Amino acid sequence: MRYHVTTFGCQMNEHDSEHMRGMLESLGYEPAPQRSDADLILFNTCSIRETADNRLIAHLGEAKRLKREDPTRVIGVGGCWAQSIKEEVFARFPFVDVAFGPGQVHRLAEFLASDSLSAQGYFEFEGFTGELPEKRSRSFQAWLQISVGCNCACSYCIVPSTRGREVSRPIADLLEQAQRMVGDGVREITLLGQNVNSYGRDLRPSRASFAQLLGELDAIDGLDRIRYTSPHPKDMREDVIRAHAELPSLCEHIHLPLQSGSSRVLRAMRRTYDRERYLDRVALIRERVPDVALTTDIIVGFPGESEAEFEDTLSLVEQVSYDGAFTFLFSPRRGTEAALATEGIVPHAEKVARLERLVELVQRCARERAQRFVGRTVEVLVEGTSRTDPDRLRGRTRHNKVINFSGLARPGELALVDVHSATSQTLAGEERLLARAG
Ligand code: SAH
Ligand code: SF4
Ligand code: F3S
């Protein structure tokens, strides 16, 4: 039997898909190079914005055609979109055999091992996908799911309803899994959670903290790099910032989602911090880790966002001068508070115009910030060949910058690279061949 998985959405979905693959291969399934070669066609879906829904629906059209050609094919839909429309999946898309939410990835095995009744749905929140077998796309990099769910109530966001309440994995399990990964050749681990820095507060009998987890992971021999995503500004405590300054394997990059630079809009978004508090966190981070790379997420056109409030976002971006940012048009999501707004709706054209102004500023800041690397020698974890030039290599710096360079290092090796130039997105350089980093 052969399977094919298409993944949409965030790193958590990438992670969940690696576990779907691992689980399927432990059941004897083999990967199919293309969807049309597969007996089991899976979609791991996202519902964060309307564009994500639309993209998926186009792909489902092809699955429908393939199912018509061969009705023995099994079509499965997992992830946040499936969770957000639950049993409706089968009424709207009758060719779907099995649908499951992010908390039910393990049930896929159960479904496949049964007599495969059609139209089965699994939508409870239970268990951690991170505990299932996994098949990593790169042998030297791994995701580590430290918690599931989210207890925040950001008024625009569908995630709390698709991934449930926050539950942390026990620290001993995480350390054991990380040890095992390092034993298998992993050099870089990215910790995943919707709100990683609230990790551990729900653990009983003894609580744990995110900073403690970072410290214990750093002590693992052979683990060169630790990253995490995403922290919430409200939980960005001094101990986590100190960890960045002190722990050798913790990378100099913090993705700190802003969403808006206006305190009024932040309140309407229920982010629980204001502009001053956010700037105060940034100041503390920059004081302790002066060279840190800061990136963020920003939403434009939230209901009620005025021109002046949008300009507050621009001025904050200018002040912080991010190394990069993901920028989004506000998209009303079913079941969320912000989707109920009837007043202050920002017209689409205005949203797009604001986004363009923001993107221009973000790119200028990113380009300027990136110039600080020119002339420096940076440590690069080699990921493969450059996407634009097969004679060059591609990797990532500790600051999470993509770098294309000439050299001889192999994927999975740490190379020392002299940086010659920088754009807003990437660096370019040349490997120092006489001094290999590791
Ligand atoms: N838990 C993470 C990631 C959430 S989703 C966090 O809080 O950082 C990633 C990003 O998508 C969010 O940070 C937000 O900027 C954006 N986003 C979420 N819901 C959105 C919506 N309804 N419209 C537009 N962007 C949205
Ligand atoms: Fe969504 Fe807010 Fe939770 Fe992030 S912290 S997943 S934006 S509700
Ligand atoms: Fe991720 Fe999309 Fe769900 S961003 S958490 S897969 S809604």
Side-chain angles (χ1 to χ4, degrees):
M1 296 292 265
R2 303 216 281 177
Y3 73 91
H4 185 271
V5 187
T6 310
T7 310
F8 302 88
C10 63
Q11 290 102 329
M12 193 62 98
N13 261 15
E14 297 284 345
H15 160 271
D16 291 354
S17 289
E18 291 190 349
H19 290 270
M20 285 181 201
R21 292 192 182 94
M23 192 174 64
L24 291 169
E25 295 195 11
S26 71
L27 292 175
Y29 281 77
E30 285 170 18
Q34 295 180 58
R35 203 176 278 161
S36 54
D37 301 322
D39 306 289
L40 170 64
I41 298 175
L42 287 177
F43 296 92
N44 194 10
T45 63
C46 170
S47 203
I48 199 79
R49 285 168 289 275
E50 203 175 346
T51 44
D53 288 11
N54 295 342
R55 213 169 301 144
L56 168 70
I57 290 176
H59 283 259
L60 282 179
E62 195 203 331
K64 180 180 178 180
R65 185 174 56 73
L66 291 170
K67 176 87 178 177
R68 206 183 311 124
E69 277 171 16
D70 177 1
T72 65
R73 279 199 170 105
V74 174
I75 314 281
V77 183
C80 290
W81 175 81
Q83 184 77 28
S84 76
I85 65 166
K86 292 203 187 159
E87 271 84 3
E88 252 181 77
V89 178
F90 305 115
R92 285 175 55 189
F93 306 96
F95 52 91
V96 170
D97 298 294
V98 57
F100 51 99
Q104 293 276 284
V105 174
H106 55 291
R107 289 292 196 93
L108 179 62
E110 214 173 281
F111 171 81
L112 294 169
S114 72
D115 294 333
S116 294
L117 299 166
S118 225
Q120 294 294 304
Y122 303 97
F123 302 107
E124 298 300 305
F125 295 115
E126 57 178 21
F128 299 104
T129 306
E131 285 173 352
L132 299 171
E134 67 180 328
K135 189 192 175 196
R136 285 196 292 277
S137 46
R138 291 205 185 100
S139 60
F140 49 90
Q141 286 171 321
W143 309 112
L144 181 57
Q145 181 186 46
I146 66 167
S147 59
V148 295
C150 181
N151 288 355
C152 296
C154 303
S155 60
Y156 51 82
C157 184
I158 200 168
V159 174
S161 75
T162 62
R163 293 205 179 243
R165 301 287 294 169
E166 184 174 309
V167 188
S168 301
R169 290 178 64 193
I171 197 160
D173 293 8
L174 294 175
L175 296 174
E176 192 201 301
Q177 189 170 358
Q179 282 279 8
R180 208 170 339 115
M181 285 169 166
V182 172
D184 289 347
V186 167
R187 311 190 75 158
E188 177 180 275
I189 290 182
T190 302
L191 309 178
L192 289 182
Q194 297 306 329
N195 181 356
V196 282
N197 49 353
S198 69
Y199 169 80
R201 291 181 201 156
D202 57 316
L203 287 172
R204 298 292 180 275
S206 47
R207 291 173 153 216
S209 75
F210 185 55
Q212 177 192 351
L213 174 64
L214 292 174
E216 297 199 26
L217 287 169
D218 178 70
I220 295 178
D221 237 10
L223 179 56
D224 295 301
R225 291 178 171 192
I226 303 171
R227 301 184 184 282
Y228 57 83
T229 194
S230 289
H232 195 298
K234 79 177 163 63
D235 297 312
M236 205 58 190
R237 303 244 175 88
E238 201 177 349
D239 56 356
V240 175
I241 299 172
R242 202 175 334 116
H244 275 276
E246 291 172 0
L247 304 179
S249 57
L250 188 56
C251 289
E252 294 79 9
H253 169 225
I254 300 181
H255 181 73
L256 197 62
L258 166 69
Q259 315 303 358
S260 168
S262 150
S263 293
R264 205 229 21 109
V265 174
L266 287 169
R267 197 161 55 244
M269 288 176 162
R270 301 197 185 284
R271 287 293 285 178
T272 72
Y273 54 85
D274 61 9
R275 179 186 175 97
E276 284 63 43
R277 161 92 188 158
Y278 186 93
L279 286 172
D280 167 70
R281 294 296 91 183
V282 170
L284 189 63
I285 292 168
R286 287 250 164 89
E287 183 193 317
R288 300 292 167 83
V289 198
D291 187 42
V292 73
L294 281 176
T295 57
T296 197
D297 292 346
I298 300 169
I299 299 176
V300 304
F302 187 79
E305 182 190 72
S306 67
E307 168 63 22
E309 287 165 342
F310 170 65
E311 285 171 12
D312 287 342
T313 298
L314 293 180
S315 73
L316 191 148
V317 168
E318 180 98 51
Q319 190 177 337
V320 172
S321 194
Y322 291 101
D323 292 82
F326 297 114
T327 51
F328 308 107
L329 296 177
F330 168 74
S331 171
R333 303 285 61 209
R334 51 192 164 270
T336 63
E337 189 187 336
L340 302 174
T342 51
E343 281 168 31
I345 306 289
V346 182
H348 185 73
E350 178 59 29
K351 272 198 236 179
V352 172
R354 287 183 190 172
L355 189 78
E356 282 171 2
R357 288 159 70 194
L358 177 61
V359 166
E360 205 182 293
L361 175 61
V362 161
Q363 283 179 348
R364 174 164 62 75
C365 293
R367 199 167 45 241
E368 284 169 12
R369 289 280 296 161
Q371 302 313 312
R372 77 187 189 282
F373 298 115
V374 176
R376 274 164 66 171
T377 303
V378 294
E379 181 204 277
V380 176
L381 179 57
V382 184
E383 294 182 346
T385 48
S386 154
R387 290 194 180 143
T388 50
D389 179 353
D391 293 333
R392 282 161 74 79
L393 299 169
R394 176 183 192 275
R396 237 167 241 278
T397 69
R398 287 175 60 97
H399 293 81
N400 208 33
K401 277 276 172 202
V402 170
I403 179 162
N404 294 303
F405 62 102
S406 52
L408 299 173
R410 287 187 302 262
E413 285 179 342
L414 290 176
L416 289 175
V417 179
D418 292 329
V419 181
H420 294 161
S421 64
T423 67
S424 60
Q425 300 288 331
T426 56
L427 307 178
E430 196 177 331
E431 185 183 357
R432 290 210 155 177
L433 291 175
L434 293 176
R436 186 60 64 78

